[in-house]
Amino acid sequence: DAGVIQSPRHEVTEMGQEVTLRCKPISGHDYLFWYRQTMMRGLELLIYFNNNVPIDDSGMPEDRFSAKMPNASFSTLKIQPSEPRDSAVYFCASSWTANEKLFFGSGTQLSVL
Amino acid sequence: AQSVTQPDIHITVSEGASLELRCNYSYGATPYLFWYVQSPGQGLQLLLKYFSGDTLVQGIKGFEAEFKRSQSSFNLRKPSVHWSDAAEYFCAVVPGGSQGNLIFGKGTKLSVKP
């Protein structure tokens, strides 16, 4: 298996633009997580899905952020409109269970100018 | 407030020296405990985990960690560090044991001197 695949690896955009981050989890994993990593706040859980259903989105910072999982092999995290404070590395991870071994993608480095 | 604390932001050790990275948590019940490693530009990789049983757990790459309930700690150790161990290390807990989500510490960056 190729592991968790995220795209793009790097995204540079201007404030106010829409940003869409993509994730393909490992086949067979029932759980998918979106994390944000910054120097100030470390790794923060934004949202996670179980069998394509959002279970906990309490970490989503505000209404500008939305996440979807239309099927078991694809998820998106969208920011609209983007702001400079959204600049961070966004990680997608998947696993067989909610709280055991997570497999992380390589992340998307987002810069909002 | 409930938290996961890694008191050392950055540690530098010489290659071949021993290593101990500290992790403390402040949750009432015994949580599930994990150590992950992140190499530059990469995602996190699980090193080891503790759920119950023997308090000394062995992981990949020669790492081990010891759960000490009395100290609410789960420190990561390696007897002899290799240059390839230079990375950032994250302690993580699931506060409710089998229930709940992973909460990560802020991480400790390890540099290795030749």
Side-chain angles (χ1 to χ4, degrees):
Chain A
D1 199 315
V4 176
I5 300 173
Q6 291 186 248
S7 64
R9 285 300 307 270
H10 303 274
E11 177 79 41
V12 181
T13 190
E14 293 186 345
M15 183 173 64
Q17 296 298 306
E18 177 178 295
V19 175
T20 299
L21 311 181
R22 297 172 176 80
C23 175
K24 176 179 168 57
I26 292 173
S27 177
H29 283 186
D30 293 330
Y31 288 83
L32 183 140
F33 304 80
W34 282 100
Y35 283 88
R36 179 172 66 177
Q37 185 179 37
T38 61
M39 289 291 292
M40 291 298 295
R41 301 173 69 90
L43 267 165
E44 303 172 278
L45 176 64
L46 300 177
I47 185 171
Y48 80 94
F49 296 82
N50 179 24
N51 293 323
N52 314 338
V53 176
I55 302 300
D56 183 356
D57 66 353
S58 60
M60 296 286 262
E62 48 198 273
D63 292 345
R64 297 185 298 107
F65 286 69
S66 62
K68 294 182 180 180
M69 193 166 185
N71 57 63
S73 59
F74 184 66
S75 177
T76 60
L77 178 68
K78 186 174 294 186
I79 308 173
Q80 166 63 18
S82 59
E83 297 182 3
R85 60 192 170 119
D86 302 329
S87 298
V89 181
Y90 291 82
F91 286 102
C92 176
S94 68
S95 70
W96 290 285
T97 65
N99 48 38
E100 296 197 26
K101 183 176 182 178
L102 267 60
F103 293 79
F104 282 78
S106 296
T108 295
Q109 174 78 60
L110 173 65
S111 298
V112 183
L113 307 177
Chain B
Q2 296 180 328
S3 65
V4 182
T5 303
Q6 293 180 250
D8 303 306
I9 296 173
H10 190 185
I11 285 181
T12 299
V13 300
S14 297
E15 190 168 17
S18 63
L19 171 70
E20 182 169 27
L21 302 182
R22 295 182 290 167
C23 174
N24 294 93
Y25 63 90
S26 60
Y27 299 96
T30 298
Y32 286 0
L33 299 159
F34 306 78
W35 276 98
Y36 280 81
V37 61
Q38 184 180 27
S39 298
Q42 299 297 315
L44 280 70
Q45 180 185 20
L46 181 68
L47 284 175
L48 48 79
K49 61 185 180 182
Y50 172 79
F51 289 173
S52 64
D54 191 346
T55 57
L56 184 64
V57 294
Q58 303 297 320
I60 62 172
K61 305 184 180 186
F63 285 91
E64 65 179 27
E66 186 172 13
F67 168 58
K68 292 186 177 180
R69 186 190 307 274
S70 61
Q71 298 177 19
S72 297
S73 69
F74 189 57
N75 294 349
L76 181 72
R77 302 194 294 248
K78 186 170 185 177
S80 178
V81 170
H82 189 262
W83 65 265
S84 61
D85 293 325
E88 190 150 19
Y89 292 80
F90 293 88
C91 179
V93 308
V94 177
S98 61
Q99 304 297 320
N101 304 319
L102 267 177
I103 308 294
F104 284 90
K106 291 289 184 67
T108 297
K109 183 176 181 180
L110 174 66
S111 297
V112 180
K113 292 189 298 184

